[in-house]
Amino acid sequence: MSENKPLSEQRCCWGYGEEPLIHCLYQETGANMKESMPSALAFILLFLNISLLNGQSPPGKPEIYKCRSPDKETFTCWWNPGTDGGLPTNYSLTYSKEGEKTTHECPDYETSGPNSCFFSKQYTSIWKIYVITVIATNQMGSSASDPLYVDVTYIVEPEPPRNLTLEVKQLKDKKTYLWIKWSPPTITDVKTGWFTMEYEIRLKSEEADEWEVHFTGQQTHFKVFDLYPGQKYIVQTRCKPDHGYWSRWGQENSIEIPNVPGPKIKGFDTHLLEKGKSEELLTALGCQDFPPTSDSEDLLVEFLEVDDNEDVQLMPSHSKEYPGQGVKPTHLDPDNDSGHGSYDSHSLLSEKCEEPQVYPPAFHIPEILEKPENPEANIPPTQDARSSTPYFHADVSKWSTWPLLPSQHMTRSPYHSIADVCKLAGGPVDTLASFLDKAGKNVLKFSKTLETEEEKVAEQEKKKSFHSETKQNTSWPLLQKNAPIVYAKPPDYVEIHKVNKDGVLSLFPKQKENDQVEKPGVPETSKEYTKVSGVMDDNILVLVPDSRAENTALFAESAKKVPPSLEQNQSAKDLASFAATSNNCRLQLGRLDYLDPTCFTHSFH
Amino acid sequence: MQAHLNQPCSWMLQLLLVSNLLLWEYVVSLPLCLEIEGSNELTIEELFDDAIGMAQYTSNLTTQISEEFDENFAKSLGYKARNSSTCHTASLLTPENNEQIQQTQLDDLLKGMISISRAWYHPLEKLVHEVAALNGASETMLLKVKEVEEKNQELLKKIKEILVRVHPGAEENVYPAWMGLAEVRSANEDTRHFALSNIFRCLHSDTDKVATYLEIVKCRVIHNNNC
């Protein structure tokens, strides 16, 4: 009889019950001594079968799943028990060290909790491999885990650093920074050089979602610059030995960056610019009531403003996108120095481009913005003779207002189209003056700020041209299309005189209400001021000066309030636009088109 | 035809380029000072920093060598299980836990490091040959072993200088010879692989030991145990 034959194959063992098998076995054992071994084996197997039927078995194989050292001087290993076979099971951990033939048992099963073994200092060596095995034993048998090879140097996972302190400090130049300091975790011996620790910190503002992580090497301090004042920041640290695991992130600490009163330039926070929220930006600038509410539309009627003084003013144009719609009572603070900055167009512009044509992609707002002080001030003032042209310096696509030229008095509308302002930025006065003289076909545009809806198309066009940050080199489509824009000039208003048979709107300068010194060259006689050269986008008239009025009379005229006459004229409401720039202008100034209002001013005197 | 003629040349050129690139990849910009007669010009702190940098660099390389070798040639953990695997430097009886180290004299630590470094001087020369002859060893492994050999020699000089500064006139200890060459050259591939695995592991432990000792000695000498 083969020893390996299953019991069921024994002669008389057909049944599955216990009795018949036992009977068979007895019979077998009684029969022949030589056959006792297989019988014994069968008996053992029977016994095991019985146990299985009872649900008892030797333990399953345990598994050592983790060994860690917090300080490179002690370590702990933990194991998973595996099945216990339904019987009380004992676990024992044995180990041997590299180079030693002897096997030892775990010195401490308690300290690190259940199913663990703790090796204290005297049992821990580094630079030696430990071979560790766990054996599970129960009544039925035992089972050994796979051996684990452990080098204590590589299983170090420290506690997180402690004593995290935060402090806001200042450099000599008033720049503030966050000074972060911490200490290594207590149980690691860093002082003697036994332990080399590396650190990381992470911080974020309270509302932010993502952490900013910085590796700090072996130093236990760090400086963080460029944090936003008024915000609360949360900081955490963690550490890692040179060959080991990162600790968990330590206790959080938070601090609020105090608001540092900065210089009172009425500029704006570049962060606002980045956010692209023009409302905030304008609020920062001190513009009140901006954008204008709907009821302001009444006030928006006259948008060409009369300006007593000789400053050249820009014609603001508005678009829906520009918060500056318009016009509402924003008051300019004549004494406000904001925006005075460096009006030197050369410096700004030349930074970006070599030609004076620069249209720097970024608005340099602080230097130019001002609040309008007069609700009706739609025309941006020109600057004083001494200041140079305004320019922008901002990310145009995000910016919806534009700088104004500062001026001592007046109404200024802070909202021009970028085009307008761009137009202001300009080349030398002489150049402008000269081409103005040459201006054959001058198209002057007065865009109606108020009629924002209608304007928007024009504005959008203008704006589109600015949306790209690389706009510097593209000529403005507006200009290309003889599109309207800006520009500066004496605050002349025109009124629609009549519509002649050709469908041409004749516009005449409105007579000044008070006897002002008339600008030189203002023709007293009325003249067909402009002639419609085309219609753009259904609601914008492009007007060109009539041949009779070709010369610089355009500039020479003083603009007056348009209101009543324009109001009366429905068609007039549809924006009478004059594009002021001539092709000559464009050429002379390079690729970008803008006019220096000062040149106009000069040319008038 | 021309392609054939050029092949060896271009192959050599490529090998040169690749080996250069690989070397550069592993070279850390250590503040290595030229070995000039008047090395006294370096401050003791600079000497330490140089040595520590070099020791850590070497230790990193040996980790990589050991891991790569085990991965490619000695995957079976059974290799590590054999208790007969001791390191030839074990006889130096250098301290192996923090307590023991804190109780060891500065001199002894430095001498211990010098002995370790000397004990690897010749074995590393042999290892370079063996790895070069090893079937299936990558180019990078060979380059790393060569780099370790070089750096070990430089490190030895630096530690000797430090000893001279710290304790002028100190004599070095003897160092153990390596007797494992026979096993590394065994006809039996398994024996060979086991021997190499063992030796790379020992090399790694010892370079790590030297790096740690240097940091401890530096903290003791320069910062008075207040690093």
Side-chain angles (χ1 to χ4, degrees):
Chain A
M1 216 180 315
S2 157
E3 285 185 355
N4 293 331
K5 254 196 194 164
L7 276 174
S8 56
E9 284 182 29
Q10 301 270 331
R11 262 175 299 176
C12 55
C13 306
W14 282 104
Y16 294 97
E18 288 178 11
E19 223 177 24
L21 291 172
I22 294 172
H23 277 311
C24 290
L25 284 168
Y26 276 129
Q27 281 172 11
E28 289 294 332
T29 50
N32 194 338
M33 284 312 288
K34 278 187 191 171
E35 293 176 343
S36 65
M37 270 187 53
S39 306
L41 179 67
F43 189 66
I44 289 166
L45 286 170
L46 172 65
F47 185 67
L48 284 172
N49 278 343
I50 292 169
S51 308
L52 278 168
L53 289 168
N54 286 345
Q56 292 177 341
S57 65
K61 193 163 149 180
E63 180 205 0
I64 308 171
Y65 68 90
K66 183 171 161 177
C67 291
R68 284 290 188 270
S69 168
D71 52 6
K72 220 160 67 166
E73 300 189 60
T74 64
F75 72 103
T76 303
C77 286
W78 292 270
W79 65 85
N80 276 328
T83 57
D84 65 355
L87 291 165
T89 309
N90 246 349
Y91 294 92
S92 76
L93 184 144
T94 59
Y95 70 95
S96 66
K97 282 205 288 196
E98 160 200 329
E100 294 173 5
K101 296 215 167 36
T102 56
T103 307
H104 313 271
E105 186 167 356
C106 170
D108 181 341
Y109 286 103
E110 308 297 323
T111 306
S112 298
N115 295 328
S116 77
C117 176
F118 175 72
F119 294 80
S120 58
K121 278 191 191 183
Q122 65 183 115
Y123 295 101
T124 305
S125 312
I126 57 172
W127 304 309
K128 281 278 187 290
I129 295 205
Y130 284 71
V131 185
I132 303 174
T133 315
V134 170
I135 302 165
T137 315
N138 71 6
Q139 223 175 18
M140 299 289 304
S142 67
S143 176
S145 69
D146 289 334
L148 188 68
Y149 300 89
V150 175
D151 183 341
V152 178
T153 320
Y154 294 96
I155 59 168
V156 184
E157 184 180 339
E159 285 291 300
R162 350 153 256 133
N163 290 347
L164 177 62
T165 59
L166 305 176
E167 199 184 326
V168 178
K169 289 183 156 190
Q170 263 192 346
L171 291 176
K172 280 187 194 153
D173 63 354
K174 302 293 180 200
K175 204 164 172 156
T176 62
Y177 62 93
L178 179 62
W179 170 242
I180 306 175
K181 254 176 63 154
W182 59 89
S183 311
T186 14
I187 53 176
T188 52
D189 181 3
V190 183
K191 282 203 184 322
T192 62
W194 166 250
F195 218 102
T196 310
M197 199 78 93
E198 292 172 337
Y199 302 92
E200 251 185 16
I201 58 145
R202 67 178 187 180
L203 69 147
K204 70 176 177 104
S205 71
E206 221 172 6
E207 313 112 14
D209 288 327
E210 288 189 10
W211 292 92
E212 191 185 311
V213 179
H214 296 279
F215 180 73
T216 71
Q218 293 179 22
Q219 62 186 35
T220 54
H221 53 84
F222 199 72
K223 290 185 187 130
V224 182
F225 289 88
D226 286 336
L227 294 176
Y228 299 132
Q231 291 222 20
K232 189 171 169 200
Y233 282 89
I234 310 171
V235 181
Q236 283 182 307
T237 63
R238 66 175 183 175
C239 55
K240 172 177 107 62
D242 41 6
H243 303 290
Y245 299 92
W246 281 105
S247 71
R248 56 188 165 78
W249 288 101
Q251 181 71 29
E252 269 185 19
N253 201 344
S254 59
I255 192 168
E256 184 159 336
I257 314 290
N259 276 309
V260 178
K264 272 302 178 191
I265 300 171
K266 212 130 188 209
F268 56 96
D269 183 0
T270 46
H271 295 305
L272 286 178
L273 240 197
E274 286 160 16
K275 283 188 210 161
K277 291 189 184 159
S278 51
E279 293 78 17
E280 287 171 22
L281 203 43
L282 291 164
T283 312
L285 289 170
C287 302
Q288 287 140 9
D289 293 328
F290 194 56
T293 51
S294 58
D295 62 351
S296 67
E297 276 180 331
D298 297 339
L299 302 170
L300 299 181
V301 174
E302 57 289 330
F303 124 116
L304 299 181
E305 148 125 277
V306 185
D307 194 351
D308 271 353
N309 68 16
E310 281 128 12
D311 289 357
V312 174
Q313 289 184 331
L314 275 183
M315 183 69 61
S317 45
H318 296 273
S319 83
K320 226 166 40 165
E321 291 95 324
Y322 295 98
Q325 296 277 352
V327 153
K328 216 186 177 202
T330 43
H331 286 266
L332 277 180
D333 178 3
D335 293 328
N336 193 328
D337 216 21
S338 81
H340 273 182
S342 55
Y343 265 87
D344 181 6
S345 63
H346 293 294
S347 61
L348 230 213
L349 299 179
S350 58
E351 278 169 15
K352 302 276 183 185
C353 305
E354 297 139 55
E355 305 282 324
Q357 20 97 357
V358 176
Y359 172 41
F363 277 117
H364 196 31
I365 303 239
E367 310 195 337
I368 332 188
L369 282 170
E370 287 205 36
K371 300 182 292 184
E373 70 186 5
N374 184 322
E376 292 164 288
N378 296 330
I379 305 176
T382 53
Q383 55 214 137
D384 309 336
R386 62 180 163 84
S387 50
S388 43
T389 57
Y391 44 77
F392 320 11
H393 187 75
D395 179 0
V396 176
S397 59
K398 292 185 183 160
W399 184 240
S400 46
T401 60
W402 49 91
L404 279 187
L405 299 173
S407 169
Q408 288 309 314
H409 4 248
M410 313 195 4
T411 57
R412 306 171 192 178
S413 162
Y415 321 119
H416 320 226
S417 67
I418 293 171
D420 294 343
V421 186
C422 288
K423 292 242 161 215
L424 291 181
V429 171
D430 305 332
T431 314
L432 286 170
S434 57
F435 75 71
L436 284 177
D437 289 337
K438 293 186 215 163
K441 224 174 168 187
N442 292 319
V443 188
L444 216 185
K445 169 186 171 184
F446 293 100
S447 48
K448 241 176 155 189
T449 45
L450 313 185
E451 302 295 339
T452 63
E453 305 300 319
E454 293 156 3
E455 294 272 343
K456 76 170 187 256
V457 177
E459 298 314 321
Q460 273 168 350
E461 287 191 12
K462 273 186 269 182
K463 197 165 189 223
K464 278 179 213 158
S465 64
F466 309 130
H467 274 261
S468 158
E469 288 178 352
T470 58
K471 259 325 168 204
Q472 292 177 12
N473 299 330
T474 57
S475 43
W476 298 353
L478 293 171
L479 297 172
Q480 283 167 344
K481 290 185 200 174
N482 263 348
I485 303 179
V486 170
Y487 100 41
K489 203 224 90 194
D492 283 340
Y493 288 95
V494 295
E495 58 180 319
I496 306 250
H497 184 65
K498 66 173 190 252
V499 181
N500 69 15
K501 59 176 164 48
D502 296 333
V504 175
L505 292 174
S506 301
L507 301 172
F508 296 89
K510 197 165 170 202
Q511 291 304 316
K512 285 214 169 162
E513 288 161 20
N514 33 355
D515 263 359
Q516 260 181 306
V517 172
E518 288 198 331
K519 309 237 186 283
V522 176
E524 282 301 332
T525 57
S526 62
K527 54 187 179 190
E528 296 281 305
Y529 198 78
T530 58
K531 164 174 157 158
V532 178
S533 71
V535 177
M536 280 169 40
D537 300 299
D538 298 330
N539 56 3
I540 299 172
L541 294 173
V542 179
L543 307 170
V544 297
D546 195 86
S547 52
R548 283 175 280 160
E550 222 177 16
N551 46 17
T552 54
L554 280 176
F555 308 106
E557 288 165 302
S558 51
K560 303 226 162 85
K561 289 202 179 174
V562 179
S565 46
L566 283 180
E567 269 175 353
Q568 287 155 16
N569 202 329
Q570 283 304 313
S571 57
K573 280 203 171 195
D574 293 334
L575 160 48
S577 7
F578 304 98
T581 3
S582 70
N583 288 330
N584 284 349
C585 272
R586 272 175 252 153
L587 288 172
Q588 281 193 292
L589 294 177
R591 283 163 291 168
L592 289 185
D593 304 277
Y594 44 78
L595 303 174
D596 182 350
T598 53
C599 73
F600 299 119
T601 314
H602 289 310
S603 68
F604 296 133
H605 297 307
Chain B
M1 280 297 266
Q2 232 175 359
H4 272 292
L5 288 171
N6 290 341
Q7 240 174 16
C9 294
S10 63
W11 182 81
M12 285 303 293
L13 183 64
Q14 281 171 28
L15 179 63
L16 191 66
L17 283 172
V18 167
S19 64
N20 277 340
L21 284 170
L22 291 168
L23 273 174
W24 288 332
E25 188 184 337
Y26 294 112
V27 172
V28 159
S29 58
L30 295 171
L32 295 179
C33 302
L34 293 176
E35 197 68 32
I36 45 184
E37 290 305 324
S39 278
N40 295 334
E41 289 157 20
L42 283 177
T43 65
I44 183 88
E45 191 162 357
E46 283 165 339
L47 271 179
F48 270 114
D49 286 341
D50 275 1
I52 289 171
M54 205 178 298
Q56 286 177 342
Y57 170 63
T58 308
S59 177
N60 273 339
L61 282 179
T62 55
T63 309
Q64 293 171 29
I65 293 169
S66 180
E67 283 175 358
E68 188 179 336
F69 183 85
D70 284 349
E71 179 67 28
N72 295 329
F73 298 94
K75 271 205 183 119
S76 162
L77 289 176
Y79 279 78
K80 294 204 188 219
R82 297 184 208 183
N83 292 335
S84 56
S85 61
T86 59
C87 300
H88 72 287
T89 48
S91 59
L92 286 171
L93 295 177
T94 44
E96 289 187 341
N97 65 27
N98 198 12
E99 241 178 274
Q100 288 173 13
I101 291 175
Q102 301 311 325
Q103 290 162 6
T104 309
Q105 299 283 342
L106 210 52
D107 267 18
D108 292 334
L109 285 174
L110 286 164
K111 289 179 193 178
M113 283 190 261
I114 292 170
S115 295
I116 291 174
S117 195
R118 282 198 185 283
W120 283 101
Y121 200 105
H122 295 295
L124 279 166
E125 284 176 344
K126 302 286 189 292
L127 277 175
V128 169
H129 292 300
E130 293 310 311
V131 172
L134 187 63
N135 265 337
S138 65
E139 285 286 339
T140 55
M141 184 185 290
L142 179 59
L143 290 169
K144 288 176 194 177
V145 177
K146 283 183 179 170
E147 184 74 353
V148 170
E149 185 201 4
E150 268 180 47
K151 289 293 172 249
N152 183 52
Q153 293 173 11
E154 290 177 36
L155 190 58
L156 177 59
K157 288 185 197 153
K158 292 218 179 289
I159 302 174
K160 280 160 70 173
E161 276 177 53
I162 293 174
L163 179 62
V164 162
R165 296 273 193 113
V166 165
H167 189 171
E171 281 178 15
E172 293 170 23
N173 289 343
V174 296
Y175 62 93
W178 177 53
M179 310 305 288
L181 189 58
E183 275 187 354
V184 167
R185 289 186 175 166
S186 163
N188 183 326
E189 191 185 63
D190 280 354
T191 310
R192 279 204 310 273
H193 289 178
F194 174 70
L196 282 171
S197 171
N198 192 38
I199 203 167
F200 286 137
R201 198 176 40 73
C202 289
L203 178 62
H204 168 244
S205 289
D206 282 346
T207 50
D208 194 56
K209 191 183 286 187
V210 168
T212 306
Y213 283 4
L214 274 172
E215 305 217 21
I216 290 171
V217 169
K218 178 190 172 188
C219 281
R220 211 186 280 190
V221 167
I222 297 188
H223 302 282
N224 206 16
N225 269 348
N226 197 17
C227 276

